Amino acid sequence: MVTEIKITAQTPIIYPESDGQPMAENTEQFRWIVTIQGGIDALFKDDPNVFVAGDLLWYPVEGNNKLRVAPDVMVAIGRPKVKRGSYLQWEEDDIAPQVVFEVLSPGNTLTEMAKKLDFYQRYGVEEYYIYDPDKIDVCGWIRTENQLTLIDTIKGWISPRLGVKFEISESGLELYRPDGRKFSTYIELESDRQKAEERAQQAEEHAQQEAEHAQQEAERAQQEAQRAQKAEERAQQQAERAQQEAERAQQEAERAQQEAERANRLAERLRELGIDPDAM
């Protein structure tokens, strides 16, 4: 008796690229998500192996499309900057995002945030930060001995993975790059760009004015040099005329001396002849 074995094709598992939830519930939450994601992306713009995303679904386990989370911002160090519809960890050399940010909105619940903390703890996140823009409150966890541990003092904290410094002011969270530059919103960046353009234009105008002034000074110096040359030529001509006058005077003096000598010789001959020249 032969038993027929029927082989059925396994239905491929679909990993949705959207959970149907909005990226943000209000403009403030959206602004902070964009600012943090953009600031970190700009910080690592020259490193091709740092992937920074916002509101991207992360699936940590192959075969389970229900196990997922979409961090407001996540950073995967060691993964290339390529387009992704979702982050399928088994296709990413099994590298979990090392750094995650969540920006709270009024709709977030304690249960939701507790579940996210448990998810990040279970699946390897090394640094986890939560910011509440309404209360201007920020907290963070750092992985030590395979456990996410609450950071005691977040003010002045520097992220080991990012090198980003956390500060809190009256206006809210402030994040600083290792070079001391602050993360900025698009409006602040545009304002800084306009100010930089204005400074560049002013510097260009100042340089042009300086160049014109230098050209005027060069022209004045050239005119002064020409006047000095003409004055020197006139002085040389006067000196030549004076020398000529002196030569003529000397010649006149020599002629007068010669005339006097001839007169003396004539007077001597007259005296020799017995004639008094003074009586003549």
Side-chain angles (χ1 to χ4, degrees):
M1 178 178 181
V2 178
T3 303
E4 182 180 355
I5 300 176
K6 294 183 179 180
I7 300 175
T8 58
Q10 185 177 2
T11 303
I13 298 175
I14 304 298
Y15 299 91
E17 297 181 354
S18 173
D19 57 4
Q21 300 297 317
M23 176 178 177
E25 293 184 7
N26 56 48
T27 57
E28 184 71 1
Q29 184 189 24
F30 177 81
R31 181 175 69 86
W32 275 105
I33 292 173
V34 171
T35 298
I36 294 171
Q37 189 277 334
I40 297 174
D41 212 11
L43 176 61
F44 292 99
K45 66 181 178 62
D46 296 323
D47 191 332
N49 290 314
V50 177
F51 174 65
V52 185
D55 194 40
L56 185 72
L57 281 173
W58 164 26
Y59 293 90
V61 178
E62 185 177 8
N64 188 345
N65 62 3
K66 301 299 182 183
L67 186 64
R68 65 191 185 186
V69 70
D72 287 336
V73 179
M74 72 177 191
V75 183
I77 299 170
R79 301 310 301 149
K81 299 180 189 296
V82 296
K83 293 181 179 180
R84 294 170 173 83
S86 60
Y87 191 86
L88 307 178
Q89 187 170 319
W90 57 93
E91 294 183 359
E92 306 285 353
D93 289 344
D94 204 31
I95 294 176
Q98 295 92 347
V99 184
V100 165
F101 285 80
E102 295 286 356
V103 180
L104 297 185
S105 66
N108 291 124
T109 64
L110 292 177
T111 300
E112 176 189 359
M113 301 315 296
K115 286 182 178 180
K116 285 191 174 183
L117 176 59
D118 181 67
F119 187 100
Y120 298 145
Q121 160 63 40
R122 184 183 301 271
Y123 294 106
V125 169
E126 298 176 15
E127 302 177 38
Y128 174 36
Y129 303 101
I130 298 177
Y131 177 54
D132 185 342
D134 292 331
K135 297 180 180 179
I136 309 182
D137 186 27
V138 61
C139 59
W141 289 261
I142 184 76
R143 186 170 292 274
T144 55
E145 298 180 356
N146 202 32
Q147 182 73 30
L148 283 177
T149 305
L150 184 67
I151 299 169
D152 291 333
T153 304
I154 199 69
K155 183 177 175 62
W157 170 262
I158 297 177
S159 162
R161 277 291 194 171
L162 307 180
V164 172
K165 186 177 182 180
F166 289 69
E167 293 290 355
I168 302 292
S169 68
E170 293 181 356
S171 59
L173 173 65
E174 295 179 351
L175 298 174
Y176 291 90
R177 298 160 53 114
D179 60 9
R181 285 187 290 166
K182 180 183 172 184
F183 281 24
S184 300
T185 64
Y186 283 122
I187 293 177
E188 291 169 337
L189 290 172
E190 177 64 16
S191 177
D192 291 342
R193 185 191 64 80
Q194 289 179 350
K195 289 178 182 178
E197 287 184 352
E198 290 173 359
R199 288 194 296 269
Q201 184 175 359
Q202 291 173 354
E204 184 179 355
E205 292 174 353
H206 179 71
Q208 185 174 358
Q209 292 173 354
E210 289 294 324
E212 292 174 353
H213 178 71
Q215 185 176 359
Q216 292 171 356
E217 289 296 324
E219 291 174 355
R220 281 195 291 269
Q222 185 176 4
Q223 292 171 356
E224 290 295 330
Q226 290 173 350
R227 284 195 291 269
Q229 184 177 0
K230 291 179 181 178
E232 183 178 358
E233 291 173 355
R234 287 194 297 270
Q236 185 174 359
Q237 291 172 355
Q238 290 175 353
E240 290 174 354
R241 285 196 294 272
Q243 184 176 359
Q244 292 171 356
E245 291 295 330
E247 290 174 354
R248 284 195 294 270
Q250 184 176 358
Q251 291 172 355
E252 292 296 328
E254 290 175 352
R255 283 195 293 270
Q257 185 177 358
Q258 291 172 356
E259 289 296 329
E261 290 175 353
R262 283 196 295 270
N264 288 335
R265 288 195 297 270
L266 179 60
E268 289 294 330
R269 295 192 63 181
L270 289 174
R271 290 189 185 95
E272 290 175 355
L273 297 173
I275 300 172
D276 185 3
D278 295 329
M280 294 179 65

